[in-house]
Amino acid sequence: MTPHLVLRVVSKLLIPLIVVFGLYVHFHGDYSPGGGFQAGVIVAAAVILYALIFGIDSAKRAVPTWFVKFMAALGVLLFGGTGVASLILGANFLDYDVLHPDLAHHTGQHIGIILVELGVLSTVFSVMMAIFYAFAGRAPDIPEGEW
Amino acid sequence: MTEFDWTQLLDYALMGMLLAVGIAIVRLRNLFAAVMLMGVYSLLSAAWFVTLDAVDVAFTEAAVGAGISTVLMLAAMLLTAREAEPVKAIRHWAALIVVSVAGAALFYAVGDMPVYGDPNSPANSYVGMAYITSTPNEIAIPNVVTAVLASYRGFDTFGETVVIFAAGLGVMLLLGLNSGKKKGDEE
């Protein structure tokens, strides 16, 4: 029932840390290397690790395919929506300065960048998951002898 | 000024390891080992990008090159054979000629490259310098890469996001995410 016990225990310890690190990379992207793209890939890597260890069916229960499709579209909408919001507020497309009245600290820029990167995170994570599901779902599980 | 820069030894070591891994990948027949070595290659390039202070690029290379693409290659390998077919010698020679000519052209171009970190190089002088000087006043975030990516060139990044979305859409339409069939039915 429990082959690869060490792998299971270690990955259960690691996966939450990987997800938290991914979120750190996203929300700290203004101050340190990283951003939405890297964060999306890191979070996707955490789920893929889960799928490799516990099987792709368990992963599809944790991150369902409808969620993947939804988040992929939502990311693009969030990015575009931020641009449209700045348009509605009377500035150019993706000109974030109007998003917040505090121009002295450029708070609007910070909000805009975080929102836009959140869109990138959502789309990149979902597309990575979609590609993984599409390819890995076609193969039978890894045979015992090949671990 | 004439003091020896020890960090270039690190560069040479990383370059040598990249070359060794590259040759090993070409010579290997076992696809599993080749995929793993490609992951190693990506990780070595990421380390090399770090020594060049391109931390954001290194980050992406480590996450995408060593992480995701290795897993995708492994998943693709499960669908196919584990060993590569032997290739005819004539095709090796053709490939070697192409690689040699391209490599010679690149080495010929090295002489015209600006010195590493040259502030007057084209990449650093015009718009790059403008971004570096105006980011603290206009965006007020420390990471200039994020400022350029998300704000100054937000339109480009939007395009990239749409491209990624389109790629995922294509894969979903062609292969499907939950095809209903239980896996292993065909075999």
Side-chain angles (χ1 to χ4, degrees), chain A residues 93-106:
Chain A
F93 188 66
L94 293 174
D95 183 357
Y96 314 129
D97 273 330
V98 290
L99 292 177
H100 195 277
D102 185 6
L103 279 179
H105 295 97
H106 304 280

Side-chain angles (χ1 to χ4, degrees), chain A residues 2-128:
Chain A
T2 57
H4 325 300
L5 183 65
V6 175
L7 279 179
R8 280 168 187 259
V9 172
V10 171
S11 61
K12 270 196 173 172
L13 281 174
L14 275 181
I15 286 167
L17 290 179
I18 296 174
V19 175
V20 169
F21 180 65
L23 291 176
Y24 161 77
V25 166
H26 171 260
F27 286 104
H28 213 253
D30 292 4
Y31 303 94
S32 59
F37 186 87
Q38 289 92 335
V41 174
I42 289 169
V43 178
V47 182
I48 289 175
L49 175 65
Y50 182 75
L52 288 178
I53 304 290
F54 296 93
I56 194 156
D57 290 328
S58 313
K60 277 187 177 171
R61 276 197 297 278
V63 183
T65 49
W66 66 262
F67 182 74
V68 166
K69 291 179 194 170
F70 179 77
M71 292 296 276
L74 184 78
V76 176
L77 280 179
L78 188 60
F79 203 134
T82 310
V84 173
S86 62
L87 265 186
I88 290 171
L89 289 169
N92 288 325
F93 188 66
L94 293 174
D95 183 357
Y96 314 129
D97 273 330
V98 290
L99 292 177
H100 195 277
D102 185 6
L103 279 179
H105 295 97
H106 304 280
T107 314
Q109 290 283 348
H110 297 193
I111 293 172
I113 288 175
I114 283 291
L115 281 178
V116 155
E117 297 267 19
L118 208 57
V120 175
L121 168 93
S122 173
T123 296
V124 168
F125 164 74
S126 315
V127 168
M128 293 296 161

Side-chain angles (χ1 to χ4, degrees), chain B:
Chain B
M1 275 315 282
T2 53
E3 196 178 326
F4 184 70
D5 183 11
W6 288 96
T7 54
Q8 54 173 275
L9 282 185
L10 187 65
D11 286 345
Y12 292 137
L14 285 171
M15 284 284 138
M17 283 194 272
L18 278 178
L19 196 66
V21 173
I23 291 173
I25 292 173
V26 172
R27 295 194 58 83
L28 272 176
R29 289 270 76 85
N30 187 325
L31 288 180
F32 181 77
V35 169
M36 282 302 154
L37 278 184
M38 279 162 79
V40 171
Y41 188 91
S42 284
L43 218 52
L44 283 173
S45 342
W48 181 55
F49 291 145
V50 171
T51 71
L52 293 178
D53 284 340
V55 199
D56 281 88
V57 183
F59 213 145
T60 315
E61 178 68 40
V64 179
I68 297 283
S69 45
T70 305
V71 169
L72 287 182
M73 295 285 267
L74 285 178
M77 209 187 66
L78 282 177
L79 299 170
T80 176
R82 303 292 189 273
E83 299 279 320
E85 297 270 330
V87 182
K88 286 200 201 89
I90 181 84
R91 289 179 59 190
H92 280 310
W93 286 108
L96 184 65
I97 289 169
V98 171
V99 168
S100 307
V101 171
L106 287 176
F107 267 104
Y108 177 71
V110 162
D112 287 340
M113 294 256 295
V115 181
Y116 170 67
D118 180 8
N120 298 315
S121 69
N124 283 339
S125 39
Y126 304 108
V127 70
M129 188 53 81
Y131 287 146
I132 291 172
T133 48
S134 57
T135 293
N137 304 323
E138 291 179 3
I139 317 281
I141 64 172
N143 188 357
V144 181
V145 177
T146 301
V148 172
L149 204 79
S151 190
Y152 288 117
R153 298 293 176 95
F155 213 91
D156 292 5
T157 310
F158 185 44
E160 283 165 23
T161 310
V162 174
V163 166
I164 293 171
F165 177 65
L169 205 62
V171 169
M172 285 188 239
L173 286 174
L174 285 174
L175 297 178
L177 282 187
N178 40 357
S179 50
K181 282 178 296 198
K182 289 301 284 179
K183 55 187 184 226
D185 272 357
E186 292 101 311
E187 281 168 331

